[in-house]
Every structure is written in structure tokens, then in C-alpha cells.
């Protein structure tokens, strides 16, 4: 019965379609002034309704069949389930491993960059452009004028820092000596260490005097941004005239002025030890 009703509706639609075709041809045969716009709109709307009805009739009727739920594996299929689980576990492990590697890459990328020695020197010296420095106990292994009468030895641990200072600063080295032979030995030791060839230091910037007051006078005349010395009396005298000072002493003394720093060695002050 349902099939016969569907066939009758199809036949009716076909007849109505033929009727509409005849009417539309007749309408277009008239002039534009004789057209009834309301009739044309009604016919067009009815045609659209028929098309939608036809599409509904062609769509499969009745509710779709629900697919049965997948049943849990029975004990007899334990071999299959074990294999399935085995294939899933490595995926999780692999994902965790990839995440760990990605995190390591991110950590390395954002790891703070360690500053170079040159950057540390410039930072510590507060961009100072002129530095004066005593030789005994700072640059040389010897600690008294009497010792350099016998020999003069440049400390290997301080050489790298010394060369970095010469790259950024106008450096003057000075010392009290007892004779001309001591001057010659000091200059020869500096030359053998490569201070005059590798850095910006020249022999004319190595100054010698016969008294401690003479060294203090050198510093005041040069007006450096920094002075480095081992004698606390000298640093105390110069505190009013020099912007910054570094007192080198094995025993850390009490700070006598806000612009006077102290360190056991020049290399330790710049973090090289």
C-alpha cells in the first residue's frame, strides 16, 4: 500500500510538472507589461515545495539501525588483548621520552649565558678607562724590592686578567725599585710573559720610583678611575682623590672607605679562581 501511494504521488508530480511547463511557456509568450508578478511568485514557491517533498521521498525511511557495542574481550582472547596493550605502552613511553627531550632543549635554550672574562672585567671596573696598578704582590710573584734585585717573575694566573684590562683600559704599571738592574729584570719578565706583544701595554707605561710616596705621586698625576695596590697606607692616602681602589691583601681588612675594595688577589676579584 505504501508503494502504491508513492507511485500515485510520483505520477501527480509529473503531471503537475508538465502543467507548470505549459504555464511558464505561456507566460513568457506575453509581453513584459502583461505579466502577473504575484502569479509567478506563487508558482515558483509551489515548485520549490514540490522539490523538497521529492527529496524527502527519496531519502531512506525509518530509523537507522544502531550498531552493536563492542564487547569486552573474553578470557579466550587474552593473547590478543596482551598484544594490544603491548603496542600501546611503547607509545606512552615514546611520548614521555619526546616530551623530556623537548624540555631539555627548551632548558638549554633559555639557560643563562655565562659572561666572558672581558665582560666581567668591564663590569667590575664600572667601565673605567684608566687603571694604575702596583707590580709587587699583584702582577709579580715577589713582594719586596729586595726580592726583585735577584729575580722578577710574572704570576701566570694573573696574566689573562692583565691582558683583558689592557684591551679596555689605559693601564699603567708602577713599582718602587732599589736600582736600575731591578728595572731591567722587571721589564724583561713582562716582555717574556707577552704583556707587550699580546696586550695594549707598552714599556713607556711601566713606571719606576725610589720611594712609596713617589708611587702615590704617580697615581695622583695620572688621575685614574681605578688604582690597585697592596699598601693600605697608599690606598688610604689616595681615597680622597681616586674614584675606586682595589686593595690586594691575603687577609681581608676592614673597609676603610666606600670606594676601596679588597681581595686576596687580582684574579679572585675578577672571579678567575
Amino acid at each position: 500500500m505504501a508503494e502504491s501511494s508513492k507511485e500515485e504521488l510520483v505520477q501527480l508530480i509529473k503531471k503537475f510538472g508538465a502543467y507548470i511547463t505549459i504555464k511558464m511557456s505561456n507566460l513568457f509568450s506575453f509581453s513584459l507589461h502583461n505579466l502577473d508578478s504575484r502569479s509567478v511568485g506563487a508558482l515558483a514557491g509551489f515548485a520549490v515545495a514540490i522539490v523538497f517533498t521529492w527529496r524527502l521521498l527519496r531519502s531512506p525511511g525509518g530509523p537507522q539501525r544502531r550498531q552493536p557495542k563492542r564487547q569486552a574481550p573474553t578470557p579466550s582472547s587474552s593473547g590478543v588483548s596482551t598484544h594490544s596493550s603491548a603496542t600501546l605502552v611503547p607509545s606512552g613511553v615514546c611520548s614521555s621520552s619526546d616530551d623530556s627531550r623537548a624540555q631539555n632543549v627548551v632548558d638549554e635554550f633559555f639557560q643563562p649565558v655565562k659572561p666572558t672574562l672581558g665582560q666581567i672585567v668591564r663590569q667590575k671596573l664600572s667601565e673605567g678607562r684608566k687603571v694604575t696598578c702596583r707590580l709587587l704582590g699583584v702582577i709579580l710573584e715577589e713582594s719586596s724590592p729586595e726580592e726583585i734585585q735577584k729575580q722578577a717573575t710574572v704570576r701566570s694566573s694573573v696574566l689573562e686578567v692583565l691582558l683583558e684590562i689592557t684591551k679596555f683600559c689605559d693601564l699603567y704599571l708602577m713599582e718602587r725599585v732599589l736600582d736600575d738592574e731591578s728595572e731591567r729584570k722587571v721589564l724583561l719578565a713582562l716582555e717574556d710573559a707577552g704583556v707587550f706583544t699580546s696586550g695594549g701595554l707598552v714599556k713607556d707605561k711601566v713606571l719606576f720610583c725610589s720611594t712609596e710616596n713617589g708611587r702615590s705621586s704617580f697615581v695622583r698625576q695620572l688621575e685614574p678611575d681605578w688604582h690597585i695596590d697592596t699598601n693600605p697606607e697608599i690606598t688610604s692616602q689616595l681615597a680622597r682623590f681616586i674614584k675606586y681602589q682595589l686593595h690586594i691583601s691575603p687577609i681581608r681588612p676592614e673597609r676603610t672607605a666606600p670606594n676601596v675594595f679588597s681581595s686576596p688577589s687580582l684574579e679572585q676579584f675578577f672571579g678567575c679562581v
Side-chain angles (χ1 to χ4, degrees), residues 186-235:
V186 170
L187 291 174
L188 184 60
L190 294 172
E191 186 175 7
D192 291 342
V195 173
F196 299 131
T197 56
S198 302
L201 187 68
V202 295
K203 292 183 179 180
D204 291 340
K205 292 183 179 180
V206 182
L207 309 177
F208 298 98
C209 57
S210 58
T211 63
E212 291 290 289
N213 289 333
R215 187 167 75 254
S216 178
S217 178
F218 280 155
V219 175
R220 291 182 59 180
Q221 290 176 24
L222 291 169
E223 298 181 343
D225 299 300
W226 279 81
H227 176 63
I228 305 169
D229 211 297
T230 59
N231 190 333
E233 293 183 4
I234 296 294
T235 57

Side-chain angles (χ1 to χ4, degrees), residues 74-181:
T74 59
S76 60
S77 60
S78 60
V80 177
S81 64
T82 303
H83 176 71
S84 176
S85 301
T87 57
L88 291 175
V89 170
S91 175
V93 173
C94 181
S95 176
S96 177
S97 178
D98 291 342
D99 292 343
S100 178
R101 285 197 295 267
Q103 186 62 42
N104 290 337
V105 171
V106 172
D107 291 342
E108 290 179 4
F109 183 78
F110 289 102
Q111 190 175 13
V113 180
K114 185 178 180 181
T116 63
L117 179 58
Q119 292 172 333
I120 296 173
V121 168
R122 295 184 68 174
Q123 182 183 7
K124 285 280 191 177
L125 295 179
S126 304
E127 301 295 332
R129 301 305 300 170
K130 184 182 287 187
V131 178
T132 55
C133 179
R134 182 181 189 179
L135 283 163
L136 286 174
V138 181
I139 308 300
L140 300 179
E141 296 281 359
E142 292 74 26
S143 58
S144 67
E146 289 77 18
E147 290 183 57
I148 58 175
Q149 282 184 308
K150 302 176 182 177
Q151 64 176 13
T153 309
V154 176
R155 299 175 58 192
S156 58
S157 59
V158 81
L159 185 60
E160 187 178 3
V161 175
L162 182 65
L163 295 177
E164 286 294 335
I165 294 175
T166 60
K167 291 179 182 179
F168 302 108
C169 303
D170 189 13
L171 177 65
Y172 290 83
L173 302 179
M174 53 191 64
E175 190 51 63
R176 178 173 73 92
V177 294
L178 301 178
D179 50 37
D180 294 341
E181 183 63 21

Side-chain angles (χ1 to χ4, degrees), residues 1-40:
M1 182 176 180
E3 292 294 331
S4 62
S5 299
K6 187 174 180 179
E7 289 295 331
E8 290 176 2
L9 184 59
V10 170
Q11 293 299 326
L12 178 63
I13 291 172
K14 287 182 178 179
K15 291 178 182 180
F16 189 76
Y19 172 77
I20 289 176
T21 303
I22 295 171
K23 283 291 183 182
M24 292 297 292
S25 61
N26 291 335
L27 283 172
F28 282 108
S29 64
F30 293 113
S31 63
L32 286 172
H33 297 287
N34 295 327
L35 279 174
D36 187 353
S37 59
R38 286 180 296 178
S39 299
V40 174

